[in-house]
């Protein structure tokens, strides 16, 4: 028999236990409702895919075009977030990419100048057929596409039409006539050519680099398109007669005083200001520079031409060094990969691609013809490009060039152009630089 006191304690214990069970069940019920709400919210976040876009600051127009593309893309595809990272001119883009690869931070979509080393190191994923079939210029290995050309552009002479008219100067038809034009302006107290060397970053070309590649095209590549690859094989050398001629033409141009006196310490970014002031007649650059000049001087009328070779043949620089690729890591994530391909398809869509080409004064690379309603200068540029005798895409700094050679060569020329070093000695120094860069590259492979 249980006495009254024990019975009372038992009842109280049961009441407490039941109360605890009720509280516990209520808490679990509330947590379940709350967690359902959280799950729903988390589900919404999971539906939005985030991808990383890494690109180089080639010029203000390219940067604005990419930002506009991302902004408009996210409006059309709100379930895809594009986090983009632009890398500016005070850093060497290729070095940045190498560091990103080491830290596994290359992202999903990446702009490349030379896809080959990245494809060889298994860093890149394959571009889908749907995207690669949109463009006519791709980088392929073993039947697989690892990069698609973003845009096609060129380099040549922007000139002030008013200065030409005031001095009764016509466009030159040979290289000797071009030098005569420079002399005419020099005698008239006008600086013939704007030049600078303070931007040697591979994706941010300097006017000095443009001149080097111009003479490399006209004096060397015009005779042997495979010269750079043959140099790696030891078939040709930087001490050959064609290179000596190239260096002589370059040195004569700068020694004659046709360029601004302070070219060795001048940034290319400052040259549009001088052109806009009407103190300089010509500038070797890309057509996008016209926007900066005309923004500073809206009344200035600009023209475009290619410096002809000694025989009057024009070799237009065909800049095909801007690619889009996706990383291997992106390819292995189905959601990110689909989002990346969606972005690239949007980039090449008629409306967006037209605006991009117009914004940077470039030529479309899509298989489908896209009309660009550019300003007269842009139309003049493309006409000159299409009607040139030959377009040459090879340049110092492409995939056949050892790492760091381009930068080292420009700095070496900067030093030797202002000294009494002969072009023969300069050629030997360039060959030594090439050998050193090749040895260093092989040691790091």
């Amino acid at each position: 028999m249980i006495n009254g006191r024990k019975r009372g304690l038992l009842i109280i214990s049961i009441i407490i236990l039941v109360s605890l069970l009720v509280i516990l069940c209520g808490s679990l019920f509330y947590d379940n409702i709350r967690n359902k709400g959280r799950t729903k919210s988390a589900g919404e976040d999971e539906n939005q895919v985030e991808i990383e876009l890494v690109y180089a600051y080639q010029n203000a127009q390219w940067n604005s075009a990419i930002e506009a593309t991302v902004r408009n893309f996210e409006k059309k595809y709100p379930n895809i977030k594009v986090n983009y990272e632009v890398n500016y001119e005070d850093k060497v883009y290729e070095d940045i990419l190498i560091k990103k690869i080491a830290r596994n931070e290359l992202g999903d979509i990446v702009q490349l100048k030379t896809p080959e080393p990245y494809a060889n190191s298994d860093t890149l994923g394959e571009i889908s057929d749907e995207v690669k079939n949109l463009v006519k210029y791709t980088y392929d290995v073993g039947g697989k596409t690892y990069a698609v050309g973003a845009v096609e552009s060129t380099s040549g002479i922007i000139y002030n039409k008013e200065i030409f008219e005031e001095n009764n100067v016509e466009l030159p038809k040979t290289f000797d006539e071009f030098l005569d034009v420079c002399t005419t302006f020099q005698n008239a107290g006008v600086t013939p050519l704007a030049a600078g060397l303070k931007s040697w970053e591979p994706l941010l070309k300097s006017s000095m680099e443009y001149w080097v590649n111009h003479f490399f095209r006209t004096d060397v590549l015009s005779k042997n398109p495979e010269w750079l690859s043959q140099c790696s094989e030891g078939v040709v050398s930087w001490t050959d007669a064609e290179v000596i001629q190239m260096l002589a033409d370059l040195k004569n141009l700068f020694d004659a005083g046709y360029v601004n006196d302070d070219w060795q310490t001048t940034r290319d970014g400052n040259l549009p200001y001088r052109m806009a002031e009407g103190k300089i007649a010509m500038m070797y650059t890309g057509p996008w520079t016209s926007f900066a000049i005309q923004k500073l001087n809206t009344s200035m009328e600009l023209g475009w031409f290619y410096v002809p070779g000694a025989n009057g043949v024009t070799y237009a620089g065909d800049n095909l060094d801007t690619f889009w690729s996706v990383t291997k890591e992106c390819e292995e994530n189905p959601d990110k990969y689909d989002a990346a391909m969606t972005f690239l398809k949007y980039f090449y869509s008629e409306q967006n691609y037209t605006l991009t080409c117009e914004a940077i004064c470039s030529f479309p690379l899509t298989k489908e013809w896209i009309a660009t309603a550019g300003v007269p200068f842009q139309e003049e540029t493309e006409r000159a490009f299409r009607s040139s005798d030959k377009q040459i895409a090879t340049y110092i700094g492409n995939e056949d060039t050892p790492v760091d050679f381009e930068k080292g060569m420009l700095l070496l020329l900067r030093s030797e152009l202002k000294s009494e070093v002969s072009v023969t000695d300069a050629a030997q120094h360039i060959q030594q630089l090439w050998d050193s860069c090749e040895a260093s590259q092989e040691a790091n492979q």
Side-chain angles (χ1 to χ4, degrees):
M1 293 294 292
I2 300 175
N3 59 33
R5 184 180 178 182
K6 289 182 178 180
R7 186 182 296 110
L9 291 173
L10 181 60
I11 293 172
I12 291 173
S13 298
I14 292 172
I15 291 172
I16 292 173
L17 180 61
V18 171
S19 298
L20 290 173
L21 287 172
V22 170
I23 292 171
L24 178 61
C25 289
S27 177
L28 290 172
F29 178 76
Y30 172 77
D31 286 344
N32 187 47
I33 294 176
R34 184 176 58 183
N35 287 336
K36 281 184 178 179
R38 286 179 176 173
T39 302
K40 182 177 180 181
S41 175
E44 291 175 350
D45 292 338
E46 288 170 3
N47 287 334
Q48 186 178 63
V49 179
E50 291 193 20
I51 56 175
E52 304 289 331
L53 169 66
V54 176
Y55 71 99
Y57 185 99
Q58 294 183 210
N59 50 65
Q61 290 73 33
W62 173 249
N63 189 55
S64 297
I66 298 302
E67 289 182 341
T69 298
V70 171
R71 186 166 57 248
N72 294 329
F73 173 79
E74 289 182 337
K75 288 179 182 177
K76 186 171 183 178
Y77 298 94
N79 62 316
I80 301 176
K81 173 67 176 174
V82 181
N83 299 312
Y84 60 92
E85 177 183 310
V86 56
N87 296 278
Y88 288 89
E89 70 253 35
D90 59 338
K91 300 176 181 177
V92 180
Y93 185 62
E94 296 292 331
D95 290 348
I96 293 173
L97 296 185
I98 291 172
K99 292 176 182 177
K100 284 185 172 296
I101 291 172
R103 297 193 300 262
N104 197 28
E105 296 176 354
L106 194 56
D108 301 299
I109 303 174
V110 58
Q111 177 187 337
L112 296 176
K113 178 183 179 184
T114 54
E116 183 178 16
Y118 300 92
N120 290 343
S121 63
D122 201 31
T123 301
L124 304 181
E126 186 178 357
I127 301 289
S128 72
D129 290 344
E130 197 173 4
V131 171
K132 77 176 184 181
N133 289 336
L134 295 175
V135 298
K136 56 187 178 183
Y137 187 70
T138 61
Y139 175 77
D140 304 307
V141 179
K144 296 181 178 181
T145 298
Y146 290 99
V148 286
V151 291
E152 180 178 29
S153 191
T154 188
S155 54
I157 296 288
I158 285 181
Y159 71 97
N160 184 328
K161 288 189 174 183
E162 184 178 351
I163 291 180
F164 271 63
E165 292 171 1
E166 288 176 349
N167 291 275
N168 297 315
V169 172
E170 295 183 357
L171 296 183
K173 295 183 175 61
T174 66
F175 185 62
D176 284 341
E177 288 185 10
F178 173 75
L179 296 179
D180 290 340
V181 167
C182 291
T183 301
T184 299
F185 288 136
Q186 190 179 49
N187 293 337
V190 176
T191 301
L193 296 165
L197 184 65
K198 291 289 284 184
S199 297
W200 46 258
E201 205 277 88
L203 280 168
L204 227 147
K205 295 181 177 11
S206 69
S207 53
M208 176 65 177
E209 181 182 356
Y210 283 128
W211 277 115
V212 170
N213 275 297
H214 164 75
F215 289 120
F216 187 59
R217 284 193 301 271
T218 56
D219 293 332
V220 181
L221 293 175
S222 63
K223 301 177 181 68
N224 181 2
E226 305 300 321
W227 196 92
L228 279 174
S229 60
Q230 290 182 5
C231 189
S232 296
E233 298 166 358
V235 177
V236 295
S237 166
W238 288 96
T239 59
D240 291 349
E242 294 81 5
V243 179
I244 298 297
Q245 183 63 55
M246 160 195 158
L247 295 175
D249 287 339
L250 180 68
K251 186 171 178 60
N252 291 338
L253 186 73
F254 281 75
D255 283 352
Y258 293 144
V259 302
N260 44 292
D261 294 336
D262 59 349
W263 67 270
Q264 295 171 19
T265 58
T266 298
R267 286 187 178 274
D268 260 30
N270 294 332
L271 299 181
Y273 291 91
R274 302 190 186 184
M275 284 286 293
E277 291 171 350
K279 297 179 180 179
I280 294 178
M282 300 174 284
M283 177 180 177
Y284 208 131
T285 184
W288 53 83
T289 306
S290 63
F291 295 113
I293 297 170
Q294 291 181 316
K295 185 177 181 180
L296 295 165
N297 187 340
T298 56
S299 63
M300 179 170 287
E301 188 177 0
L302 300 174
W304 178 271
F305 72 90
Y306 293 104
V307 178
N311 55 2
V313 177
T314 54
Y315 302 99
D318 190 4
N319 298 344
L320 290 167
D321 57 357
T322 305
F323 291 88
W324 290 126
S325 293
V326 294
T327 62
K328 189 74 171 178
E329 185 177 358
C330 175
E331 184 185 36
E332 293 170 350
N333 185 317
D335 291 336
K336 285 181 176 287
Y337 183 77
D338 288 345
M341 293 304 109
T342 301
F343 177 83
L344 291 177
K345 284 187 289 184
Y346 178 81
F347 176 82
Y348 293 110
S349 63
E350 183 175 0
Q351 181 179 8
N352 180 74
Y353 199 51
T354 297
L355 294 175
T356 298
C357 290
E358 289 176 353
I360 61 175
C361 204
S362 65
F363 317 137
L365 281 175
T366 48
K367 290 181 179 178
E368 291 291 331
W369 182 77
I370 289 181
T372 53
V375 296
F377 174 81
Q378 185 173 5
E379 295 171 354
E380 183 177 338
T381 302
E382 187 161 5
R383 279 198 305 271
F385 178 75
R386 303 300 178 196
S387 61
S388 60
D389 294 297
K390 187 175 183 179
Q391 295 98 35
I392 299 179
T394 304
Y395 59 96
I396 299 170
N398 72 353
E399 66 275 3
D400 292 322
T401 310
V403 176
D404 290 333
F405 174 79
E406 177 187 28
K407 177 175 66 177
M409 179 183 181
L410 290 174
L411 294 177
L412 187 152
L413 288 174
R414 173 188 179 181
S415 173
E416 301 198 346
L417 279 175
K418 64 180 182 181
S419 67
E420 297 302 320
V421 174
S422 67
V423 293
T424 303
D425 288 341
Q428 291 175 347
H429 296 162
I430 292 172
Q431 182 61 50
Q432 291 168 2
L433 174 67
W434 177 279
D435 294 338
S436 173
C437 289
E438 272 203 331
S440 177
Q441 180 172 288
E442 291 173 1
N444 292 329
Q445 288 178 347

